[in-house]
Amino acid sequence: MTPTPSLFMLLVLGLMGAQATVDVRTAAAMAAGLCKTRPTDIVFIVDSSRSVRPSEFEQVKVFLAKVIEGLDVGPNATRVGVVNYASRVKNEVSLKTHRTKAGLIKAVTKIEPLSTGTMTGLAIQFALNVAFSEAEGARVKSPDISKVAIIVTDGRPQDTVKEIAARARDAGIEIFAIGVGRVDMSTLKQMASDPLDDHVDYVESYSVIEKLTKKFQEAFCACSNSATDVVFLIDGSKSVRPENFELVKKWINQIIDKLDVSDSKAHVGLVQYSSAVKQEFPLGRYNNKKDLKDAVKKMAYMERGTMTGQALRYLVDNSFNPGHGARPGVAKVGIVFTDGRSQDFIGEAAKKAKENGFKMYAVGVGNAVEDELREISSEPTAEHYFYTADFKAMTQIAKKLQINICQEDDPCECDSLVKFQKKVEDALQALTKKLESMSKRIAMLENKIV
């Protein structure tokens, strides 16, 4: 039977509406793609012991799916595996199995709880020996590829975790430990990487585990929305001391790890100062993380005085100059580190840096003067200057700097909203034209039927 014109119209509108939805989703995906997650091998290690009720295990799967939804899944981007454990361990999803987000999420929804004991140490050992093996799809160890394990558990393990977790961390696996309900907090701390404040999370029940989704989406987000020239201006005065200077170098490399370093994206330069100023390397000399981090590690400690004003003048006059590798039209970010009061005047150079459009961050440790940090930093100063009394606490500052360098608010939004809106508008315009064309054809059919 031939459908009536009105029914035919409904069918056409339904089909075109579905196509419009696809167009909008495609636009959203393209927009989201402006901010890629850095290449990472991620393995979720999920407790499904008998203490985890079936409904609670469903909530864990929703949490996994939402974290995966925010990742840039692909063979050359982020690979995801899932290990399910109770008294035994089951490799539910290998790093090599699913290369698309949709395939991964579908596989996660099919995981069933094992409902026996809680052998968390056994699960970590399995992840280390099997899930993170090349045979299961893990990539060869590289400074450019992160290895991450996310453990979700709600109880006290029936085996030991301390030694095997240490072995996993020594193998280069970053471990996040999420505890639920009556979990043993000391066990979480034995498993997690340092700093514990960043790697241990607790929620009261599985019903609120989804609130951790944003944290993990941000944790794996690398800034790839735009090109950036970043210059570190590092205090190498005698008050820093050699052992702390090594911590400063590790801190610099921690920030470099969060950047999307390449020819077309982030370039990094390094300047050290004390009584004099020394350019360690200019922007653009190293365009991959390994070479950059190696160069930072080789930086020799200068000692002597603290001429922060002279160093800022060097930054303004030289570091962001095209003759020193700076790129015209690219965002400029200066990160100043100091541990004490400047022995010269900083005001004029600090003001000029900001007038030139450089985004300035000021990081102080120990005897650093907070008024000087505020004078150096861009507005709003609360978001651009950081202070800690202890060099060992600098990892917290590195994390905050990574987020702010990404962009102002949400590290995975960038300028996506504007571009997404444009894509949606284009899709809707295309849909309108299709509807107009289809309406004319239906009118012709109606005339023929009459």
Side-chain angles (χ1 to χ4, degrees):
M1 178 178 174
T2 306
T4 64
S6 57
L7 178 58
F8 183 63
M9 184 63 162
L10 288 172
L11 289 170
V12 170
L13 287 172
L15 289 170
M16 295 190 72
Q19 181 60 50
T21 302
V22 172
D23 289 343
V24 169
R25 285 177 180 168
T26 301
M30 291 176 69
L34 292 169
C35 198
K36 305 282 188 183
T37 48
R38 59 186 181 274
T40 308
D41 289 344
I42 301 174
V43 174
F44 291 94
I45 304 173
V46 182
D47 176 359
S48 68
S49 57
R50 65 175 65 92
S51 61
V52 184
R53 299 186 185 96
S55 60
E56 293 173 333
F57 194 69
E58 290 302 311
Q59 290 167 332
V60 175
K61 293 194 291 184
V62 170
F63 166 67
L64 264 59
K66 288 193 172 183
V67 174
I68 291 168
E69 190 63 48
L71 301 176
D72 179 27
V73 175
N76 298 317
T78 298
R79 301 181 186 182
V80 178
V82 181
V83 170
N84 184 12
Y85 79 94
S87 295
R88 62 187 179 92
V89 181
K90 185 178 179 184
N91 200 23
E92 299 283 2
V93 179
S94 294
L95 291 167
K96 66 181 179 182
T97 308
H98 297 285
R99 300 301 177 91
T100 67
K101 203 176 291 186
L104 265 172
I105 292 172
K106 186 175 181 181
V108 167
T109 62
K110 293 180 178 179
I111 299 173
E112 296 292 335
L114 300 173
S115 301
T116 51
T118 311
M119 300 293 284
T120 309
L122 182 66
I124 297 172
Q125 184 173 18
F126 181 90
L128 175 61
N129 296 338
V130 180
F132 280 107
S133 69
E134 290 181 44
E136 291 299 314
R139 285 164 284 193
V140 177
K141 189 175 180 180
S142 161
D144 295 326
I145 298 172
S146 302
K147 307 284 186 183
V148 175
I150 302 174
I151 303 170
V152 183
T153 182
D154 79 332
R156 183 186 296 273
Q158 296 170 316
D159 56 356
T160 59
V161 300
K162 187 174 182 179
E163 184 180 335
I164 188 61
R167 281 175 51 201
R169 295 192 302 267
D170 289 344
I173 299 171
E174 183 178 11
I175 300 178
F176 291 87
I178 300 173
V180 183
R182 296 183 179 180
V183 69
D184 178 42
M185 292 302 294
S186 64
T187 299
L188 299 182
K189 293 174 182 177
Q190 287 176 16
M191 295 188 293
S193 297
D194 286 326
L196 294 178
D197 285 347
D198 291 345
H199 292 86
V200 175
D201 287 283
Y202 172 79
V203 290
E204 300 81 5
S205 68
Y206 283 101
S207 62
V208 292
I209 194 171
E210 284 184 52
K211 73 180 185 180
L212 296 176
T213 301
K214 184 171 167 46
K215 167 188 171 169
F216 284 97
Q217 288 177 340
E218 290 180 355
F220 304 125
C221 180
C223 320
S224 60
N225 58 304
S226 61
T228 311
D229 284 348
V230 181
V231 174
F232 290 90
L233 195 62
I234 302 299
D235 178 355
S237 59
K238 60 179 175 288
S239 59
V240 174
R241 298 202 301 246
E243 64 273 20
N244 289 330
F245 194 70
E246 291 303 309
L247 293 176
V248 173
K249 292 194 284 186
K250 288 181 180 179
W251 172 76
I252 295 169
N253 281 341
Q254 197 180 352
I255 297 173
I256 289 171
D257 271 333
K258 309 298 182 185
L259 298 174
D260 186 9
V261 177
S262 70
D263 285 335
S264 60
K265 297 297 182 181
H267 286 191
V268 177
L270 178 61
V271 174
Q272 184 185 175
Y273 73 93
S274 57
S275 298
V277 180
K278 179 185 178 185
Q279 178 174 262
E280 299 289 346
F281 54 82
L283 289 162
R285 175 171 292 177
Y286 306 109
N287 289 324
N288 65 75
K289 291 180 185 178
K290 182 181 185 304
D291 290 346
L292 262 176
K293 291 166 71 175
D294 286 346
V296 170
K297 289 175 185 176
K298 292 175 183 175
M299 177 170 58
Y301 180 33
M302 291 174 71
E303 300 192 63
R304 296 187 292 171
T306 310
M307 303 293 283
T308 308
Q310 182 181 346
L312 285 167
R313 286 191 292 276
Y314 183 91
L315 182 84
V316 170
D317 296 338
N318 298 284
S319 296
F320 288 124
N321 188 297
H324 287 254
R327 293 167 291 179
V330 168
K332 306 291 190 290
V333 176
I335 302 175
V336 181
F337 165 81
T338 183
D339 85 323
R341 182 183 296 275
S342 178
Q343 294 173 325
D344 61 350
F345 181 63
I346 67 167
E348 185 179 339
K351 181 181 177 183
K352 190 172 181 182
K354 289 176 282 188
E355 287 176 347
N356 286 357
F358 307 155
K359 179 177 279 194
M360 298 297 295
Y361 291 87
V363 178
V365 178
N367 293 321
V369 179
E370 292 194 60
D371 284 346
E372 289 186 354
L373 300 179
R374 293 188 189 95
E375 192 168 8
I376 293 168
S377 61
S378 295
E379 294 287 345
T381 54
E383 295 177 12
H384 292 85
Y385 98 90
F386 305 89
Y387 172 81
T388 178
D390 187 356
F391 278 87
K392 293 178 182 177
M394 290 178 68
T395 53
Q396 294 293 326
I397 294 175
K399 182 183 177 186
K400 292 175 183 177
L401 271 170
Q402 180 262 324
I403 291 172
N404 286 340
I405 289 170
C406 273
Q407 55 105 62
E408 300 295 333
D409 298 308
D410 184 336
C412 285
E413 232 174 46
C414 310
D415 55 347
S416 298
L417 288 177
V418 176
K419 297 192 178 184
F420 170 64
Q421 183 179 1
K422 178 67 167 60
K423 294 288 182 184
V424 172
E425 288 173 353
D426 291 345
L428 289 174
Q429 286 177 5
L431 175 60
T432 301
K433 289 180 181 178
K434 289 179 183 178
L435 282 171
E436 289 173 353
S437 174
M438 192 60 70
S439 296
K440 291 177 182 178
R441 291 174 63 186
I442 290 171
M444 292 174 62
L445 285 171
E446 286 176 335
N447 291 334
K448 288 180 179 180
I449 291 171
V450 172

